[in-house]
C-alpha cells in the first residue's frame, strides 16, 4: 500500500512538472543594440570640415576677385588702387578721392566697367605709350588740361605745377621746396629726387616739364 502511494505521488509530481515545462511562455523581443560610433567619427578632417562649413567660395571673395587700376590726372589721390572685380569707373574715382574741382570729365564714362590693369586718366590726355584697356580720357583744353608748353621747374609757381597731371598742391610745394634747397633744377631727371615722385609719376611728367 505504501509503495502504491509513493508511486502515485511520483506520477503526480511528474505530471505537474511536465505541464509546467510545456506551458506557453512569453517571448521578449530582442533588444536593439546601437552600434558604437568609431572613435574617430567625431574627429573630422580640418580641411573637409572647413569645406563643409563654408561651402564653395562665394563670388567676390575668391582670389582673382580683385582688380588693380591706375588712376591719374586731376584726382585728389592719383596712383594705384585695388578694387573689387566688377567695379566701374565711378568706383575708381571714389577710391582716388574724387575728381578735383575744375577737371573736365565730359568724355569720361563713369558707368563703364573696369578691367584689371587699365589706366583711368582724368582731365588730361593719356601719357604717351599709356597701356590698359579702356583708358578713360576726358579731353578739353579748359579745366585741368595739361599745359600746351612744358612747365619750367625753376620758375613755375605752385599753381602752375599744380596744373600738371598727378601733381596736387602738396606735391607742387615739395617741388618748389626742392628747387629752393638745391638752388634750382639742373635737369628734369632731378625731379625723381623730390619727395612723392616715383618712377611712374616721373614718366608722366618728364615730357611736360623742363629745367
Amino acid at each position: 500500500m505504501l509503495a502504491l502511494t509513493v508511486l502515485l505521488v511520483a506520477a503526480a509530481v511528474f505530471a505537474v512538472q511536465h505541464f509546467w515545462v510545456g506551458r506557453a511562455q512569453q517571448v521578449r523581443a530582442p533588444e536593439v543594440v546601437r552600434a558604437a560610433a568609431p572613435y574617430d567619427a567625431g574627429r573630422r578632417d580640418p580641411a573637409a570640415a572647413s569645406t563643409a562649413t563654408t561651402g564653395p567660395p562665394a563670388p567676390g571673395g575668391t582670389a582673382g576677385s580683385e582688380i588693380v587700376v591706375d588712376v591719374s590726372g586731376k584726382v585728389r589721390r592719383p596712383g594705384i588702387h585695388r578694387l573689387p572685380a566688377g567695379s566701374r569707373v565711378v568706383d575708381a574715382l571714389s577710391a582716388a578721392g574724387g575728381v578735383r574741382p575744375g577737371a573736365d570729365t565730359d568724355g569720361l564714362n563713369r558707368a563703364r566697367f573696369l578691367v584689371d590693369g587699365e589706366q583711368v586718366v582724368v582731365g588730361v590726355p593719356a601719357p604717351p605709350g599709356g597701356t590698359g584697356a579702356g583708358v578713360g580720357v576726358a579731353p578739353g583744353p579748359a579745366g585741368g588740361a595739361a599745359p600746351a608748353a612744358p612747365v619750367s621747374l625753376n620758375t613755375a609757381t605752385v599753381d602752375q605745377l599744380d596744373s600738371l597731371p598727378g601733381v596736387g598742391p602738396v606735391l607742387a610745394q615739395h617741388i618748389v621746396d626742392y628747387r629752393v634747397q638745391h638752388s634750382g633744377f639742373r635737369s628734369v631727371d632731378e625731379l625723381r629726387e623730390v619727395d612723392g615722385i616715383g618712377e611712374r609719376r616721373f614718366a608722366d611728367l618728364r615730357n611736360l616739364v623742363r629745367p
Side-chain angles (χ1 to χ4, degrees):
M1 185 64 179
L2 179 59
L4 181 59
T5 301
V6 172
L7 182 60
L8 291 176
V9 171
V13 171
F14 177 77
V16 171
Q17 182 179 8
H18 179 72
F19 173 77
W20 181 261
V21 173
R23 82 186 190 285
Q25 296 185 2
Q26 184 178 2
V27 179
R28 298 178 59 186
E31 295 184 1
V32 178
V33 180
R34 296 182 180 273
Y39 176 72
D40 290 336
R43 303 175 58 185
R44 302 176 61 188
D45 179 30
S50 176
T51 302
T53 301
T54 60
T62 62
S65 66
E66 185 180 67
I67 61 174
V68 180
V69 296
D70 179 12
V71 185
S72 62
K74 307 302 290 185
V75 292
R76 298 185 185 278
R77 294 193 300 272
I80 301 297
H81 297 280
R82 298 180 181 273
L83 300 169
S87 296
R88 301 175 186 261
V89 171
V90 65
D91 300 315
L93 299 181
S94 177
V99 177
R100 295 178 57 192
D104 184 358
T105 59
D106 289 342
L108 196 62
N109 181 4
R110 301 184 183 215
R112 178 176 58 80
F113 283 104
L114 296 167
V115 298
D116 185 50
E118 80 167 274
Q119 183 180 44
V120 178
V121 184
V122 181
V124 296
T131 58
V135 175
V137 180
V151 174
S152 173
L153 296 174
N154 288 323
T155 61
T157 64
V158 170
D159 290 339
Q160 290 173 325
L161 293 170
D162 185 20
S163 68
L164 294 169
V167 178
V170 175
L171 185 54
Q173 186 61 52
H174 287 336
I175 295 173
V176 172
D177 292 342
Y178 180 92
R179 181 175 69 197
V180 172
Q181 295 171 4
H182 296 82
S183 301
F185 287 86
R186 285 171 289 277
S187 70
V188 174
D189 289 340
E190 289 186 43
L191 198 58
R192 287 191 177 99
E193 301 177 17
V194 176
D195 184 26
I197 295 183
E199 289 300 321
R200 180 179 291 273
R201 188 162 297 170
F202 174 75
D204 293 343
L205 296 175
R206 66 183 306 169
N207 295 326
L208 302 177
V209 297
R210 61 180 175 84

